[in-house]
């Protein structure tokens, strides 16, 4: 029986074709800048995102960290969402390695940061305060796509306030496909953009940080300091290239499957079901039943996220039939409970 893993889009496994491309990759020492496949991936990512340069890094966390270190120095500050990955889910790396202070703000209902609150959060130039340098946004944020008009507004406000802009675009391709625009339209207001290749795009490892040549040159130094200088990394970069060539347009299927899952589950009275946001949705079972639900589904080969509000994520290893199987398994669980 196939396992349907809805916990995250990080669980995708490289396809046979992707593995073949990886095995055949031309490689060199990337710390010397001599890995042709890494260089090709970086050029391709920069071009797609509309930036001068890109750098291949092992993870999204290192990508965000090198971005923070490249934008900010010791005693500087960045503004980010209270639940933003870069602030909440990356171990406080900016503070640990860079002496960089976060200024978290609550996300609005739509995943944006209110720009008046951003304005108020910027510290006056006074030696009592940290120096506010950077505004970090996330897109998609918990699956939510930030409106393009908001990105333009945020960029105007950031300029006015003298802040640089970083986008945690782990799932930026989901946003672009959802909006039906080239990804550079989503990236264009930002000084740096971090993109995960290892989520919905299906590569086993890796992220790219894109930005100006000057910024990415600084990021090169920080990647080395953070221990992210890899040698014959072309084997990994080849998977990233393959992902960018073959797995972008198909993200629309994931969005469709998430909608199908949301509408299928919405018929179960006991369950509170969110609308699908790109490839992510949330379900809340009655208090105290999440663990039993998780176990019953696992017994049928269906894996779902932890907690009481359960996250379900579609990706390239989840097909329409898997969604139907999942809906049926949820229905069986709640039908059984009623008797
Ligand atoms: C997954 C994720 C990251 C970090 O990526 P890793 O490769 O897991 O380190 C950063 N930001 C967001 C929004 C993510 O979803």
């Amino acid at each position: 029986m196939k396992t349907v893993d809805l916990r995250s889009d990080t669980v995708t496994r490289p396809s046979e074709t992707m593995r073949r491309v990886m095995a055949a990759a031309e490689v060199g020492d990337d710390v010397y800048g001599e890995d042709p496949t890494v260089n090709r991936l970086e050029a391709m990512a920069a071009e797609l995102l509309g930036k001068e340069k890109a750098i291949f890094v092992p993870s999204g966390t290192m990508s965000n960290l090198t971005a923070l270190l490249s934008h900010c120095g010791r005693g500087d500050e960045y503004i980010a969402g209270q639940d933003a990955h870069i602030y909440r889910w990356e171990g406080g790396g900016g503070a640990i390695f860079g002496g960089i202070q976060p200024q978290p703000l609550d996300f609005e209902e739509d995943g944006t940061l209110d720009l008046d609150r951003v304005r108020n959060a910027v510290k006056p130039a006074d030696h009592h305060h940290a120096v506010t340098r950077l505004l970090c946004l996330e897109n998609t944020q918990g699956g939510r796509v930030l409106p393009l008009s908001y990105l333009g507004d945020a960029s105007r406000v950031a300029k006015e306030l003298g802040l640089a802009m970083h986008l945690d675009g782990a799932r930026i391709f989901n946003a672009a496909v959802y909006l039906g625009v080239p990804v550079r339209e989503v990236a264009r207001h930002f000084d740096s953009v971090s993109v995960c290749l290892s989520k919905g795009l299906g590569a086993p490892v890796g992220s790219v940080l894109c930005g100006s040549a000057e910024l990415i040159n600084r990021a090169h130094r920080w990647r080395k300091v953070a221990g992210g200088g890899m040698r014959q990394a072309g084997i990994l970069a080849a998977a990233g290239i393959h992902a960018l060539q073959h797995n972008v347009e198909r993200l629309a299927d994931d969005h469709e499957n998430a909608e199908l899952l949301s509408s299928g589950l919405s018929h179960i009275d006991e369950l509170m079901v969110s609308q699908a946001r790109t490839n992510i949705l949330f379900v809340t079972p009655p208090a105290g039943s999440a663990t039993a639900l998780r176990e019953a589904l696992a017994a049928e080969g269906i894996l779902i996220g932890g907690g009481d509000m359960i996250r379900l994520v579609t990706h390239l290893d989840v097909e329409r039939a898997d969604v139907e199987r999942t809906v049926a398994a949820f229905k069986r669980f709640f039908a059984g409970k009623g008797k």
Side-chain angles (χ1 to χ4, degrees):
M1 183 178 52
K2 176 187 172 184
T3 298
V4 180
D5 195 339
L6 298 164
R7 292 172 303 167
S8 176
D9 48 8
T10 55
V11 301
T12 56
R13 312 259 166 96
S15 65
E16 277 311 310
T17 332
M18 184 179 273
R19 284 170 186 264
R20 270 203 298 280
V21 169
M22 293 172 75
E26 215 190 314
V27 295
D29 190 325
D30 182 49
V31 172
Y32 296 158
E34 291 173 2
D35 189 300
T37 309
V38 171
N39 293 342
R40 197 148 66 85
L41 169 65
E42 290 176 346
M44 190 177 167
E47 163 75 22
L48 273 172
L49 275 286
K51 304 296 176 201
E52 282 175 358
K53 255 181 124 167
I55 182 170
F56 182 51
V57 288
S59 68
T61 300
M62 194 184 286
S63 188
N64 279 333
L65 175 64
T66 53
L68 285 178
L69 293 168
S70 303
H71 281 290
C72 302
R74 190 174 179 82
D76 288 346
E77 177 181 79
Y78 67 99
I79 297 173
Q82 192 71 251
D83 299 318
H85 205 283
I86 198 169
Y87 165 62
R88 192 179 177 121
W89 298 94
E90 297 180 7
I96 294 169
F97 299 113
I100 305 162
Q101 160 173 298
Q103 168 61 69
L105 297 176
D106 286 339
F107 278 122
E108 300 300 304
E109 220 16 74
D110 60 358
T112 62
L113 292 176
D114 181 88
L115 296 174
D116 287 328
R117 299 181 64 194
V118 168
R119 202 187 288 279
N120 290 333
V122 173
K123 312 289 181 289
D126 171 325
H127 63 227
H128 289 83
H129 303 302
V131 180
T132 316
R133 292 261 183 227
L134 181 69
L135 173 61
C136 297
L137 298 176
E138 194 173 298
N139 197 10
T140 64
Q141 202 292 308
R144 293 176 286 212
V145 177
L146 308 190
L148 288 178
S149 61
Y150 169 79
L151 301 182
D153 294 343
S155 137
R156 272 186 293 281
V157 169
K159 258 200 199 81
E160 188 193 312
L161 299 169
L163 304 180
M165 295 239 292
H166 171 67
L167 179 65
D168 181 350
R171 296 187 179 86
I172 191 175
F173 281 97
N174 293 83
V177 165
Y178 178 86
L179 294 168
V181 300
V183 71
R184 57 169 56 211
E185 280 304 303
V186 185
R188 79 186 174 100
H189 296 294
F190 294 89
D191 300 291
S192 56
V193 180
S194 169
V195 183
C196 279
L197 301 165
S198 63
K199 298 211 162 143
L201 295 181
V205 174
S207 282
V208 278
L209 178 67
C210 308
S212 67
E214 197 210 340
L215 189 91
I216 299 305
N217 289 341
R218 279 205 294 278
H220 257 277
R221 173 183 175 73
W222 289 121
R223 181 185 69 174
K224 187 73 185 112
V225 171
M230 299 184 287
R231 302 295 177 173
Q232 285 72 40
I235 289 184
L236 302 174
I241 293 172
H242 184 81
L244 289 173
Q245 286 171 335
H246 300 282
N247 293 344
V248 172
E249 292 309 318
R250 62 149 309 285
L251 291 171
D253 301 345
D254 298 342
H255 302 169
E256 204 177 294
N257 280 334
E259 262 186 42
L260 199 68
L261 188 54
S262 165
S263 70
L265 295 176
S266 69
H267 297 298
I268 301 171
D269 290 339
E270 293 89 338
L271 215 50
M272 253 175 47
V273 182
S274 79
Q275 290 210 315
R277 311 158 165 177
T278 56
N279 66 329
I280 298 176
L281 60 133
F282 295 88
V283 296
T284 313
S289 64
T291 304
L293 172 64
R294 199 168 290 117
E295 284 168 3
L297 292 174
E300 298 201 36
I302 297 164
L303 306 181
I304 60 174
D308 289 328
M309 191 168 95
I310 299 167
R311 188 177 78 151
L312 303 176
V313 187
T314 56
H315 50 75
L316 87 179
D317 291 343
V318 175
E319 289 159 48
R320 195 184 170 97
D322 302 326
V323 169
E324 286 160 1
R325 201 176 116 201
T326 301
V327 172
F330 266 88
K331 283 186 174 159
R332 262 195 303 283
F333 174 79
F334 286 106
K337 293 216 69 115
K339 288 189 191 116

